[in-house]
Amino acid sequence: MHSSPFMGELLGTLVLILLGNGVVANVVLKDTKGHNSGWIVITAGWAFAVTIAIFVSKAFGGYDAHLNPAVTIGLAIAKNEYSKVIDYVSAQMIGAFLGATLVWLYHLPHYAKTEDKGAKLATFATDPAIASGGSNFFSEVIGTIVLLVGIKGIGAVTTGLGPFAVGILVWAIGLSLGGTTGYAINPARDLGPRIAHAILPISGKGSSHWEYAWVPVAGPITGAILAGLLLL
């Protein structure tokens, strides 16, 4: 397979969503081996997904391994260098959509057995624990700032262990700050799979909750802009 930054971002984000939304599916869909195993399993699965996705991205030419438009935008602002933004964000969105589609195909019989429409949506996109637009937006802004500042700190002290450290950072955000909105902190992670949920023939699915979809896009982008200015 041809290696390039675009392919690295696409495949890395695909793996991120396949493993990240995959652990959600394992916990919330009916009759899986991991059913009802809880928030600790979900946050750990997402943390490990981030680490593996970074390695995959770098193996296929993703020198930066951003896997997240918020990271791409925040670092572009911090460095005043915007040439990669369109390519990276496009690759991340495609990878996220494909990863979500694979999660659905992988768990197909379990979607058919699961009656809870909200649980099905949770395997694709985020939804708030308590719907409150301003508070939910604030949660995503703060979570994304912590992500960007944390990545900056990790880069200042380590290189080879970076993917593991970023995984721990995402685990910390999930455990400490993820209980309000499900910590999207990544516009592609939410929007790509939400589009997949909207168009795929998922058995017994409900609404894709587009009325909330602005929060996990606008919140992380706002947080990325603020973090980018902070890191200038």
Side-chain angles (χ1 to χ4, degrees), residues 49-212:
V50 168
T51 295
I52 299 305
I54 292 171
F55 283 123
V56 169
S57 180
K58 288 182 176 293
F60 287 92
Y63 177 79
D64 296 308
H66 289 172
L67 317 178
N68 180 345
V71 174
T72 299
I73 291 168
L75 294 180
I77 292 171
K79 297 176 181 178
N80 195 30
E81 169 52 59
Y82 299 91
S83 62
K84 301 174 181 178
V85 172
I86 292 176
D87 276 356
Y88 278 25
V89 172
S90 299
Q92 292 154 5
M93 284 293 300
I94 294 168
F97 178 89
L98 294 175
T101 302
L102 285 175
V103 170
W104 169 63
L105 291 171
Y106 191 94
H107 295 90
L108 207 57
H110 300 278
Y111 281 99
K113 284 200 168 190
T114 301
E115 297 87 8
D116 187 342
K117 294 177 173 61
K120 292 177 184 180
L121 177 60
T123 67
F124 288 86
T126 62
D127 215 29
I130 297 174
S132 174
S135 181
N136 301 151
F137 176 80
F138 181 74
S139 293
E140 289 293 334
V141 169
I142 296 302
T144 306
I145 290 173
V146 172
L147 175 67
L148 268 294
V149 172
I151 289 172
K152 174 72 171 180
I154 289 166
V157 299
T158 184
T159 52
L161 294 177
F164 299 101
V166 174
I168 292 171
L169 170 63
V170 172
W171 199 355
I173 292 170
L175 289 173
S176 301
L177 304 175
T180 54
T181 63
Y183 69 118
I185 58 174
N186 182 339
R189 170 266 175 275
D190 191 276
L191 183 57
R194 197 180 297 270
I195 293 171
H197 179 272
I199 67 177
L200 291 174
I202 302 161
S203 176
K205 71 176 178 180
S207 168
S208 299
H209 289 192
W210 286 107
E211 71 280 1
Y212 177 73

Side-chain angles (χ1 to χ4, degrees), residues 19-32:
L19 296 179
N21 278 358
V23 72
V24 178
N26 189 30
V27 170
V28 305
L29 294 180
K30 192 172 181 181
D31 291 343
T32 64

